[in-house]
Amino acid sequence: MKQQTLAAAADQGAGFEQYRRATKRDVFLATMEQIVPWSELCAVIEPHYPKPGNGRPPVGLERMLRMYFVQHWFNLADEACEEALLDSTALRRFVGIDLGRERVPDGTTLLKFRRLLEQHKLGEQLFATVGRVLQERGLKVGTGTIVDATIIGAPSSTKNAEKARDPEMCQTKKGQQWYFGMKMHIGVDSRTGLTHSAVVTAANVHDKHPLPELLHGAERRVYGDSAYASQKELISSKAPQARDFTNQRVRSGGEIDEVERAKNRNKSRVRARVEHVFAVVKRLWGFSKVRYRGLAKNATRSFVALGLANIYLARKRLMA
């Protein structure tokens, strides 16, 4: 057992800060410390993680995973994450760093860890592992799925080294507004509100095209907004027993069908649960704009963010 240094004792309080109280960040990190399935997630990455040998020994896998999650939760760049750990005792305590004995992993180390996940497409595996763990703990996938998509913006400026926009991002029009970036398509369980499937595309891909990939096949009901209207054949191709509960268009020939509008309102009471996922990923954790170029890197971030959002949304059940 290692002796505690004065730096670690100061980070952990140790009775020195008599009037300190727990902040929202402290409470959040303590909750995630308790409910994140660390051993299962580390087991996904471990076969690909560098082993000790010649040269500089690698940073502990779980420590890097914790640092990577901090980057997601607080929307930090690689070097900004390093600075945040140097600045915040709460973050150091969560990651497990004792400045009296060791350095904070630098931004380059975090960059290499991110690239390792991207190279082996481990973001999808982490998302799937979270889903499996949640099901083992009683949060089963039901027979209703809500499908939806959201736009994640990307820089449209050409003031960069290539003098060009990201070629894998595209523009699309929503209402009277043009957007440039990518789309995150998700399938959410209508009972638990947890995401069970996801697809990342350029922004110009219509919402309906990834629809079969968002269904698990055992659905009895499929909910969605009017972008998925009249897609019964597409739904049946993956979920033959599913009934189409997507919102239908209510305006025809300049007249509004009030009966159909009332039906849409009832469907939307269920469909609205999908917005809770987007609120966590985009508003709470700041993933409303891409940080990297290319769909592959941002897809990895998307899958990890959705997996963490599932854990966050299920926190009350997991702590019960």
Side-chain angles (χ1 to χ4, degrees):
M1 181 178 179
K2 292 183 178 179
Q3 183 177 359
Q4 189 180 49
T5 66
L6 289 176
D11 283 352
Q12 295 172 11
F16 298 119
E17 298 176 336
Q18 183 177 354
Y19 299 105
R20 188 182 188 280
R21 64 175 179 83
T23 64
K24 291 182 179 179
R25 175 182 288 184
D26 292 328
V27 174
F28 170 77
L29 292 174
T31 301
M32 301 310 281
E33 165 77 38
Q34 182 177 346
I35 64 178
V36 172
W38 297 108
S39 59
E40 290 88 344
L41 297 181
C42 287
V44 173
I45 305 171
E46 197 276 333
H48 309 280
Y49 199 66
K51 305 297 186 294
N54 296 329
R56 182 181 177 182
V59 179
L61 172 54
E62 185 173 326
R63 176 168 296 177
M64 287 308 305
L65 186 62
R66 287 171 179 265
M67 187 175 178
Y68 180 62
F69 286 173
V70 165
Q71 182 180 41
H72 276 269
W73 291 327
F74 300 101
N75 194 28
L76 300 169
D78 299 329
E79 292 184 0
C81 190
E82 176 190 354
E83 294 284 339
L85 285 169
L86 289 169
D87 183 65
S88 170
T89 58
L91 296 182
R92 285 200 301 274
R93 192 161 54 240
F94 175 78
V95 175
I97 295 174
D98 177 0
L99 289 181
R101 182 175 286 112
E102 58 206 340
R103 299 176 184 270
V104 171
D106 59 21
T108 302
T109 303
L110 182 56
L111 168 65
K112 292 179 179 178
F113 184 78
R114 282 198 302 102
R115 288 182 174 172
L116 176 75
L117 302 186
E118 294 159 5
Q119 178 184 354
H120 298 284
K121 296 185 178 180
L122 297 181
E124 298 178 42
Q125 295 183 43
L126 292 172
F127 172 70
T129 300
V130 168
R132 176 178 55 78
V133 170
L134 292 178
Q135 289 195 52
E136 290 173 353
R137 297 186 183 180
L139 293 160
K140 303 289 186 182
V141 175
T143 57
T145 289
I146 312 166
V147 292
D148 204 356
T150 188
I151 299 170
I152 308 293
S156 58
S157 173
T158 59
K159 295 180 179 179
N160 50 49
E162 293 80 12
K163 304 297 183 183
R165 300 189 299 183
D166 187 341
E168 296 185 23
M169 304 290 171
C170 293
Q171 66 182 20
T172 187
K173 190 175 184 182
K174 184 176 181 180
Q176 300 300 316
Q177 181 70 42
W178 284 95
Y179 298 89
F180 179 77
M182 70 175 205
K183 271 186 184 178
M184 182 192 296
H185 309 258
I186 63 173
V188 172
D189 183 69
S190 61
R191 183 177 58 85
T192 63
L194 303 180
T195 307
H196 60 67
S197 53
V199 176
V200 173
T201 68
N204 64 340
V205 175
H206 194 280
D207 293 3
K208 67 182 180 182
H209 293 310
L211 178 55
E213 299 177 63
L214 302 178
L215 306 177
H216 53 72
E219 285 88 359
R220 295 299 180 90
R221 293 188 176 192
V222 175
Y223 298 88
D225 59 25
S226 57
Y228 303 94
S230 305
Q231 299 300 319
K232 291 183 179 180
E233 292 185 4
L234 204 58
I235 293 172
S236 297
S237 66
K238 181 63 180 289
Q241 297 180 322
R243 296 175 61 189
D244 183 2
F245 275 75
T246 58
N247 287 14
Q248 302 300 306
R249 295 179 176 85
V250 300
R251 188 182 296 274
S252 177
E255 296 184 359
I256 296 177
D257 186 339
E258 293 297 341
V259 174
E260 197 63 54
R261 172 181 276 186
K263 291 180 180 179
N264 285 350
R265 191 176 296 115
N266 289 332
K267 296 172 186 175
S268 294
R269 291 190 178 97
V270 176
R271 188 183 60 80
R273 292 175 186 169
V274 74
E275 301 299 339
H276 299 173
V277 178
F278 292 143
V280 171
V281 172
K282 297 181 70 174
R283 303 292 175 237
L284 189 60
W285 296 341
F287 190 21
S288 57
K289 280 195 172 183
V290 303
R291 186 176 296 280
Y292 318 114
R293 288 176 67 87
L295 285 176
K297 293 180 180 180
N298 290 293
T300 298
R301 181 181 178 186
S302 299
F303 282 110
V304 173
L306 289 169
L308 293 174
N310 279 348
I311 294 172
Y312 180 78
L313 291 169
R315 63 191 183 281
K316 293 182 180 178
R317 290 283 301 275
L318 294 174
M319 296 182 70

